[in-house]
Amino acid sequence: EADIYQTPRYLVIGTGKKITLECSQTMGHDKMYWYQQDPGMELHLIHYSYGVNSTEKGDLSSESTVSRIRTEHFPLTLESARPSHTSQYLCASSEYRETANEKLFFGSGTQLSVL
Amino acid sequence: AQKITQTQPGMFVQEKEAVTLDCTYDTSDPSYGLFWYKQPSSGEMIFLIYQGSYDQQNATEGRYSLNFQKARKSANLVISASQLGDSAMYFCAMRDRGAQKLVFGQGTRLTINP
């Protein structure tokens, strides 16, 4: 049902490397989100976007940055990865609605491990 | 501000039994939506069910139903006739009409025993 894709699925990388987590959706959704989740824990919103050229920071402070140059693409970048960035990163999208019924569609996630 | 609380870190249930996962919420917005998501060990988040604050009837989707008690600010998920494949993390979430984001609870890990 959901046409939202994240790559890579798993990433193991050394400290100090620059990484980009990819997220693409084919549903034409205006809104996209990045959530961070530690194992077995709640999801924390780190970035979101209302549409092209719109990006906002979420509730959880993050050293990552995002861009939204195209509607379907919402990549997340870490300029210098650290072990504290080890986590699962979930991308989601939704169709804008005036009501509260704004269902999020999630990708499969990227499990990032920084050594 | 929106807040979601799930007080059951883990639950163990026998296969074919019904199970209720608790969720309470807090908001000052009279218009809001409540969601339940399932997260299997593979990691993806799967939407299960939605309840709007003005909906008169409790939402149902197959074996899932939402026991919505507005005065108590609770939105418990009921799974009837549980199956082994129901073993997963379950997250309650809410969105105020005026908010731009979905806020999640801490989650409940459900284990179905054969």
Side-chain angles (χ1 to χ4, degrees), chain A residues 9 31 33 35 37 40-43 45 48 50 59 88 90 98-104 106 108, chain B residues 31-33 35 37 39 42-45 47 50 89 91 95-97 100-102 104-106 109:
Chain A
R9 183 72 179 89
K31 296 180 76 173
Y33 310 79
Y35 284 87
Q37 183 189 27
M41 304 295 285
E42 64 197 281
L43 282 70
L45 182 67
Y48 60 102
Y50 297 116
D59 301 319
Q88 171 158 250
L90 287 159
E98 285 287 332
T99 66
N101 184 6
E102 195 174 290
K103 177 175 140 184
L104 262 62
F106 282 86
S108 299
Chain B
S31 178
Y32 52 88
F35 302 77
Y37 281 83
Q39 187 179 41
S42 51
E44 76 271 27
M45 295 285 283
F47 167 78
Y50 168 80
M89 284 288 289
F91 290 94
R95 177 181 180 261
D96 290 345
R97 183 177 181 276
Q100 297 300 329
K101 60 193 179 185
L102 203 58
F104 287 84
Q106 306 92 321
R109 181 172 297 281

Side-chain angles (χ1 to χ4, degrees), chain A residues 43-61:
Chain A
L43 282 70
H44 293 284
L45 182 67
I46 51 175
H47 298 283
Y48 60 102
S49 167
Y50 297 116
V52 172
N53 294 327
S54 151
T55 60
E56 302 285 343
K57 288 192 178 294
D59 301 319
L60 184 66
S61 174

Side-chain angles (χ1 to χ4, degrees), chain B residues 47-94:
Chain B
F47 167 78
L48 295 178
I49 196 165
Y50 168 80
Q51 179 84 44
S53 59
Y54 293 120
D55 293 343
Q56 295 297 315
Q57 293 186 324
N58 286 344
T60 61
E61 290 282 350
R63 293 187 299 113
Y64 305 108
S65 60
L66 202 150
N67 184 2
F68 182 45
Q69 298 187 44
K70 196 169 182 177
R72 292 186 174 185
K73 293 190 174 180
S74 76
N76 299 340
L77 177 71
V78 180
I79 306 174
S80 64
S82 58
Q83 302 170 356
L84 296 178
D86 293 333
S87 293
M89 284 288 289
Y90 288 80
F91 290 94
C92 181
M94 76 172 295

Side-chain angles (χ1 to χ4, degrees), chain A residues 14-89:
Chain A
T15 297
K17 299 291 186 184
K18 177 180 178 179
I19 59 169
T20 297
L21 308 185
E22 302 288 349
C23 177
S24 294
Q25 50 97 4
T26 58
M27 297 172 281
H29 287 166
D30 287 323
K31 296 180 76 173
M32 295 189 75
Y33 310 79
W34 277 103
Y35 284 87
Q36 185 175 342
Q37 183 189 27
D38 290 330
M41 304 295 285
E42 64 197 281
L43 282 70
H44 293 284
L45 182 67
I46 51 175
H47 298 283
Y48 60 102
S49 167
Y50 297 116
V52 172
N53 294 327
S54 151
T55 60
E56 302 285 343
K57 288 192 178 294
D59 301 319
L60 184 66
S61 174
S62 174
E63 294 164 345
S64 58
T65 59
V66 292
S67 63
R68 190 89 183 274
I69 299 171
R70 303 196 315 265
T71 298
E72 63 271 21
H73 195 213
F74 191 41
L76 182 145
T77 298
L78 275 167
E79 291 292 333
S80 180
R82 293 207 302 269
S84 61
H85 296 139
T86 295
S87 190
Q88 171 158 250
Y89 294 83

